[in-house]
Amino acid sequence: ARLYDQGIRLARAHGVLMPALEGHFMAGVNLTGKGDYDAALAILQEGLALAEKVGDENYTPRSLNSLGWLYAEGGALDRAYELNRLAAEQARRRGDHEMIANAVLNLADILLQRGDLALAFELLESVQGLIEDPANSGWMRWRYSLHLYASLADHAVARGAWDEARAQAERCLAAAVKT
């Protein structure tokens, strides 16, 4: 977190756009992951404003997706759903499978929390298709496959399918340990 903060300050001081965009995005993800939600909200909103101002098509959907995750963590599911829906829409226009998968997984998690198991599973299956598509980068597939396996385990728990939940959780753990 300290290095991202330093990078953002240096990028601003020297007027260098890409490190500023990357720094805001990664710092926001970092802060959200450690539960520093107020700081994460501020940095992600600042990063989104910068990305939108310059018309960046890479960091705008990433920032929307990350803000959606943050709002979901805070229980603001309607706002989280809308942000992730926008992120998925923009990612589809770009054709970026990794961004699509991350936003769709967040949408599925929100639907699980709302109890819409059928639509959540439909979205999870769509991400499974991205993982199984060899045309998509193996590195990028790895980046969202763990989230998929964890969400499939959550889906199984919601249905009371305990053996399936255990298998998905073990699949997630095995992939995490391997890498």
Side-chain angles (χ1 to χ4, degrees):
R2 183 178 43 79
L3 292 174
Y4 284 125
D5 183 54
Q6 181 182 4
I8 292 167
R9 279 184 292 154
L10 286 168
R12 283 184 190 140
H14 297 282
V16 185
L17 182 61
M18 288 309 297
L21 290 168
E22 175 73 10
H24 282 88
F25 167 66
M26 288 306 302
V29 167
N30 223 339
L31 291 164
T32 301
K34 75 178 208 173
D36 192 348
Y37 298 132
D38 290 335
L41 180 61
I43 201 79
L44 287 169
Q45 286 177 328
E46 189 177 306
L48 176 60
L50 177 60
E52 288 178 335
K53 179 181 177 181
V54 299
D56 184 86
E57 294 180 4
N58 185 39
Y59 286 98
T60 299
R62 289 180 189 283
S63 298
L64 290 166
N65 170 253
S66 298
L67 279 165
W69 171 42
L70 171 62
Y71 276 97
E73 289 279 315
L77 299 183
D78 291 341
R79 182 70 176 136
Y81 194 88
E82 180 58 20
L83 290 165
N84 279 290
R85 187 192 63 72
L86 287 170
E89 182 181 293
Q90 290 182 17
R92 282 187 188 98
R93 280 199 304 265
R94 268 185 66 101
D96 188 311
H97 298 123
E98 186 246 349
M99 280 193 251
I100 294 167
N102 284 317
V104 169
L105 287 166
N106 284 351
L107 290 169
D109 289 344
I110 293 164
L111 291 167
L112 278 172
Q113 289 182 57
R114 290 179 172 170
D116 189 342
L117 301 184
L119 185 52
F121 189 69
E122 198 176 300
L123 294 178
L124 293 172
E125 280 187 314
S126 74
V127 175
Q128 182 68 48
L130 293 174
I131 288 173
E132 292 171 356
D133 184 349
N136 294 330
S137 159
W139 165 246
M140 290 302 181
R141 289 186 313 226
W142 173 84
R143 292 179 71 174
Y144 50 83
S145 64
L146 298 179
H147 186 168
L148 172 66
Y149 304 148
S151 295
L152 286 169
D154 289 341
H155 190 274
V157 166
R159 292 182 286 110
W162 307 115
D163 290 339
E164 182 184 336
R166 180 181 307 280
Q168 291 295 350
E170 288 173 356
R171 184 179 185 190
C172 183
L173 181 59
V177 168
K178 177 182 166 188
T179 56

